[in-house]
Amino acid sequence: MASFKIKVICNLILIAFLYSNLSQAFPGKGFGRGGAGYSGLFPEFYQFSCPQANEIVMSVLEKAISRDPRMPASLLRLHFHDCFVRGCDASVLLDDSATIVSEKNSGPNKNSIRGFEVIDEIKAKLELECPRTVSCADILALAARDSVVLSGGPHWEVSLGRRDSRSASLSESNRDIPAPNSTVQTLISFFQRQGLNEEDLVALSGGHSIGVARCVTFRQRLYNQNGNNKPDMTLEKTYYNELKAVCPQSAVKKNHADECVYMQGRNRMWKRLAAATTRKRSLVILLFVLALFSAFAFFIKALHGSCDVHHYEYVHTGDNYPSPLTQIRIQDSPLSFMKSKLVLLVSHELSLSGGPLLLMELAFLLRGVGTQVVWITYQKPVESDEVVYSLEQKMLERGVKVVPAKGQEAVDVALKSDLVILNTAVAGKWLDAVLKGDVSRVLPKVLWWIHEMRGHYFKLEFVKHLPFVAGAMIDSHTTAEYWKNRTQERLKIKMPDTYVVHLGNSNDLMDVAEDSVARRVLREHIRESLGLRKEDLAFAIINSVSRGKGQDLFLRAFYESLQIIQERKLQVPSIHALVVGSDMNAQTKFETELRTFVVEKKIQDRVHFVNKTLNVSPYLASIDVLVQNSQARGECFGRITIEAMAFKLPVLGTAAGGTTEIVVNGTTGWLHPAGKEGVTPLAENIVKLATDAGMRRRLGEKGYERVKETFLEHHMSSRISLVLKEVLQKAKNSV
């Protein structure tokens, strides 16, 4: 099949944001702008990029089914066998290659699944109309639905936006697809493994309504169930006689075999659905199960890729770690030398804030090259926390092992690991609390990744071991210099070898930023949801809402800019302020102050508070200018700044911290002083950009060029790889 890369149309992110309550993370920080962060599918995914997709699928199917009446059942089954192995990711379509063992060779699939030529034909026609757009996984889902429709069954909406896998798993195909002669208990177990219950199991049997099964797959139940030349005594008598009539012991005939769930139903629901399945062949039940196929999370794992795979290999990462088969793109990653290394990541918390999310991103980069990664969280909430649970699940799905911070397992991993990465200063408490007498054995292989300049982190109990670790990695030169001076002056300790590593935008975010269709769709939807007109100008601050991020001073500057425009009688579009990062469920005292200010100044129609979200792309696509107004010493780096520049947005930032290393004053944006003295300069800059569309465009273009030159994922990976090589060598020499 033709190789293609799925176009990342961010309607996906938009719909996930607008219609779910799962977007919990603080924006603008660290990992999460795509990839596993994409969780929403919706029927209109190709509305703009390939509006004729459904029509093309249906037209090919009509001809294929006229040639072969068995094809609907085959395509439905093909979709099922794809979905039961790692989700609906089109991995079942991949052929054998030097790096892939095809799922087509598994027991349930070999000489059994068919219809590939129809999928090929659909894909070919879609490539002519919409090159590199519609995924093979979505083609399989549409083909299954339309096959049912063309067979006289009902129509239902298929949610779209899946991505194709770059890998297949023969072992999981053999393991996860139930055999036709499975017992009920075995079937229940298989379905539970996929997150489905008994009702789902019975409903799925309705899928056999439009297909047939070979007698050989169930004949033993009619004649020799237990090796004693007797039938399965649980078979309903009338149905048993019907099956014997069409499947003689010595002949080979075809028919269906859905009965076992009927006789062994566990409750009235089971029996009722089983009856409908085996006797009425209810396509309504089929509709139910296929709706599940399209909606449930285990069917929509969002994996990058295309129908063909090249330059990948499988690597076994050890029996003690999840995901034993990891796909690796060796020649493309500067981190490839980390293959098979064991890395322990220690975070003081697992939250939706900058440090933990950055560490998670590093975990995924390392997993991508075959590193064994273990994660420890030192501080956890006492009660069950949905955010912590969801982030842990995200890591587990990507093959990161999560272990308790305290206990012998944590000590064992630390001692045998090749590298230990501590995340933020507070994580240093874990060393004494858990390792205790083994601290000295671990310190030579510790890399301390520091992301903050807040004064309360400079406590000896947190960082007393800092001088003895292999190295410190810090996001900006400003932050590194501050830590050097502060530790020496206040704590009388010396920093270890310190490496400055600027961050970079993820490939997923760049895909969105560089997709004009995605940006347009996101802009239209977000603006409509906020009540903004096409010509309105939006200035946004995208950070967790706190005094240190400067939302209060931003709103004062915004109000002042409105006054300037009115006093000078300037002809400008209506300007609006967005405060993205609010907490709609639990407003803090500070946020209450912000809202009170807005009411007092009577600018409610101009200021919009938006809930915190992991997906910042919709807002970056919908605004015109980003304001980075962090106070005091500023941001350590401020990743939202480079993300905004990727979307060709000018940035109005404080002349403090890492922002000064990102924004080129007068070229990619304008800088203003931190503190109250920066309010009027920021107001003037807002007016300046509001009145000059050409300037906004020029600054945005220059910012985008700077991102492409310096702040991409591969830049960050290269910078981190140099640090890891040195630290690993130091650890090796210290042994």
Side-chain angles (χ1 to χ4, degrees), residues 50 102 136 138 278 302 344 356 406 458 501 588 620:
C50 192
S102 176
C136 296
D138 278 342
T278 60
L344 174 63
K406 300 178 181 179
F458 291 88
V501 175
T588 63
L620 294 175

PDB file of all heavy atoms in Angstrom, residues 50 102 136 138 278 302 344 356 406 458 501 588 620:
ATOM      1  N   CYS A  50     -10.741  16.268   3.393  1.00  0.00           N
ATOM      2  CA  CYS A  50     -11.157  15.274   2.396  1.00  0.00           C
ATOM      3  C   CYS A  50     -12.659  15.045   2.516  1.00  0.00           C
ATOM      4  O   CYS A  50     -13.111  13.982   2.951  1.00  0.00           O
ATOM      5  CB  CYS A  50     -10.392  13.966   2.593  1.00  0.00           C
ATOM      6  SG  CYS A  50     -10.568  12.800   1.203  1.00  0.00           S
ATOM      7  N   SER A 102       4.364  -9.851  10.134  1.00  0.00           N
ATOM      8  CA  SER A 102       2.983  -9.437   9.916  1.00  0.00           C
ATOM      9  C   SER A 102       1.997 -10.182  10.797  1.00  0.00           C
ATOM     10  O   SER A 102       2.147 -11.371  11.072  1.00  0.00           O
ATOM     11  CB  SER A 102       2.612  -9.643   8.450  1.00  0.00           C
ATOM     12  OG  SER A 102       1.254  -9.333   8.220  1.00  0.00           O
ATOM     13  N   CYS A 136      -5.374   4.600   7.038  1.00  0.00           N
ATOM     14  CA  CYS A 136      -5.849   3.248   6.740  1.00  0.00           C
ATOM     15  C   CYS A 136      -6.771   2.742   7.849  1.00  0.00           C
ATOM     16  O   CYS A 136      -7.715   2.000   7.591  1.00  0.00           O
ATOM     17  CB  CYS A 136      -4.660   2.298   6.584  1.00  0.00           C
ATOM     18  SG  CYS A 136      -3.588   2.689   5.199  1.00  0.00           S
ATOM     19  N   ASP A 138      -8.873   4.510   9.596  1.00  0.00           N
ATOM     20  CA  ASP A 138     -10.201   5.076   9.354  1.00  0.00           C
ATOM     21  C   ASP A 138     -10.877   4.406   8.158  1.00  0.00           C
ATOM     22  O   ASP A 138     -12.095   4.230   8.139  1.00  0.00           O
ATOM     23  CB  ASP A 138     -10.096   6.581   9.109  1.00  0.00           C
ATOM     24  CG  ASP A 138     -10.001   7.364  10.411  1.00  0.00           C
ATOM     25  OD1 ASP A 138     -10.345   6.806  11.468  1.00  0.00           O
ATOM     26  OD2 ASP A 138      -9.594   8.540  10.369  1.00  0.00           O
ATOM     27  N   THR A 278     -28.480 -15.401  18.159  1.00  0.00           N
ATOM     28  CA  THR A 278     -28.431 -16.685  17.474  1.00  0.00           C
ATOM     29  C   THR A 278     -29.666 -16.991  16.659  1.00  0.00           C
ATOM     30  O   THR A 278     -29.611 -17.846  15.770  1.00  0.00           O
ATOM     31  CB  THR A 278     -28.224 -17.806  18.499  1.00  0.00           C
ATOM     32  OG1 THR A 278     -29.306 -17.795  19.414  1.00  0.00           O
ATOM     33  CG2 THR A 278     -26.930 -17.608  19.263  1.00  0.00           C
ATOM     34  N   ALA A 302      -3.994   6.336  19.410  1.00  0.00           N
ATOM     35  CA  ALA A 302      -3.533   7.233  18.357  1.00  0.00           C
ATOM     36  C   ALA A 302      -2.044   7.022  18.119  1.00  0.00           C
ATOM     37  O   ALA A 302      -1.211   7.595  18.790  1.00  0.00           O
ATOM     38  CB  ALA A 302      -3.796   8.678  18.755  1.00  0.00           C
ATOM     39  N   LEU A 344      16.151   5.726  35.475  1.00  0.00           N
ATOM     40  CA  LEU A 344      15.174   5.972  36.529  1.00  0.00           C
ATOM     41  C   LEU A 344      14.872   7.464  36.570  1.00  0.00           C
ATOM     42  O   LEU A 344      15.781   8.294  36.682  1.00  0.00           O
ATOM     43  CB  LEU A 344      15.724   5.517  37.880  1.00  0.00           C
ATOM     44  CG  LEU A 344      14.870   5.844  39.110  1.00  0.00           C
ATOM     45  CD1 LEU A 344      13.522   5.131  39.033  1.00  0.00           C
ATOM     46  CD2 LEU A 344      15.606   5.482  40.393  1.00  0.00           C
ATOM     47  N   PRO A 356       7.074  18.015  35.849  1.00  0.00           N
ATOM     48  CA  PRO A 356       6.665  16.631  35.580  1.00  0.00           C
ATOM     49  C   PRO A 356       6.335  16.374  34.115  1.00  0.00           C
ATOM     50  O   PRO A 356       6.659  15.314  33.582  1.00  0.00           O
ATOM     51  CB  PRO A 356       5.425  16.460  36.469  1.00  0.00           C
ATOM     52  CG  PRO A 356       5.621  17.425  37.578  1.00  0.00           C
ATOM     53  CD  PRO A 356       6.293  18.607  36.960  1.00  0.00           C
ATOM     54  N   LYS A 406       8.792   4.494  47.517  1.00  0.00           N
ATOM     55  CA  LYS A 406       9.432   3.905  48.692  1.00  0.00           C
ATOM     56  C   LYS A 406       9.394   2.385  48.601  1.00  0.00           C
ATOM     57  O   LYS A 406       8.445   1.814  48.100  1.00  0.00           O
ATOM     58  CB  LYS A 406       8.728   4.381  49.963  1.00  0.00           C
ATOM     59  CG  LYS A 406       8.770   5.888  50.149  1.00  0.00           C
ATOM     60  CD  LYS A 406       8.016   6.318  51.393  1.00  0.00           C
ATOM     61  CE  LYS A 406       8.045   7.832  51.562  1.00  0.00           C
ATOM     62  NZ  LYS A 406       7.293   8.272  52.764  1.00  0.00           N
ATOM     63  N   PHE A 458      15.421  26.811  47.519  1.00  0.00           N
ATOM     64  CA  PHE A 458      16.817  26.844  47.926  1.00  0.00           C
ATOM     65  C   PHE A 458      16.939  26.514  49.412  1.00  0.00           C
ATOM     66  O   PHE A 458      17.254  27.352  50.252  1.00  0.00           O
ATOM     67  CB  PHE A 458      17.418  28.220  47.602  1.00  0.00           C
ATOM     68  CG  PHE A 458      17.564  28.451  46.136  1.00  0.00           C
ATOM     69  CD1 PHE A 458      16.530  28.999  45.398  1.00  0.00           C
ATOM     70  CD2 PHE A 458      18.727  28.082  45.468  1.00  0.00           C
ATOM     71  CE1 PHE A 458      16.648  29.192  44.034  1.00  0.00           C
ATOM     72  CE2 PHE A 458      18.857  28.274  44.105  1.00  0.00           C
ATOM     73  CZ  PHE A 458      17.814  28.821  43.381  1.00  0.00           C
ATOM     74  N   VAL A 501      20.237  23.521  28.517  1.00  0.00           N
ATOM     75  CA  VAL A 501      19.545  22.838  27.424  1.00  0.00           C
ATOM     76  C   VAL A 501      18.225  23.549  27.151  1.00  0.00           C
ATOM     77  O   VAL A 501      17.266  23.428  27.910  1.00  0.00           O
ATOM     78  CB  VAL A 501      19.277  21.357  27.764  1.00  0.00           C
ATOM     79  CG1 VAL A 501      18.441  20.701  26.668  1.00  0.00           C
ATOM     80  CG2 VAL A 501      20.590  20.603  27.940  1.00  0.00           C
ATOM     81  N   THR A 588      -9.226  30.513  42.887  1.00  0.00           N
ATOM     82  CA  THR A 588      -8.380  30.966  43.980  1.00  0.00           C
ATOM     83  C   THR A 588      -8.708  32.417  44.321  1.00  0.00           C
ATOM     84  O   THR A 588      -9.451  33.106  43.606  1.00  0.00           O
ATOM     85  CB  THR A 588      -6.910  30.875  43.569  1.00  0.00           C
ATOM     86  OG1 THR A 588      -6.688  31.761  42.455  1.00  0.00           O
ATOM     87  CG2 THR A 588      -6.544  29.456  43.158  1.00  0.00           C
ATOM     88  N   LEU A 620      -3.657  28.835  20.438  1.00  0.00           N
ATOM     89  CA  LEU A 620      -2.597  29.450  19.652  1.00  0.00           C
ATOM     90  C   LEU A 620      -3.057  29.702  18.224  1.00  0.00           C
ATOM     91  O   LEU A 620      -2.645  30.672  17.595  1.00  0.00           O
ATOM     92  CB  LEU A 620      -1.350  28.564  19.667  1.00  0.00           C
ATOM     93  CG  LEU A 620      -0.675  28.411  21.034  1.00  0.00           C
ATOM     94  CD1 LEU A 620       0.479  27.427  20.953  1.00  0.00           C
ATOM     95  CD2 LEU A 620      -0.190  29.756  21.558  1.00  0.00           C
TER      96      LEU A 620
END
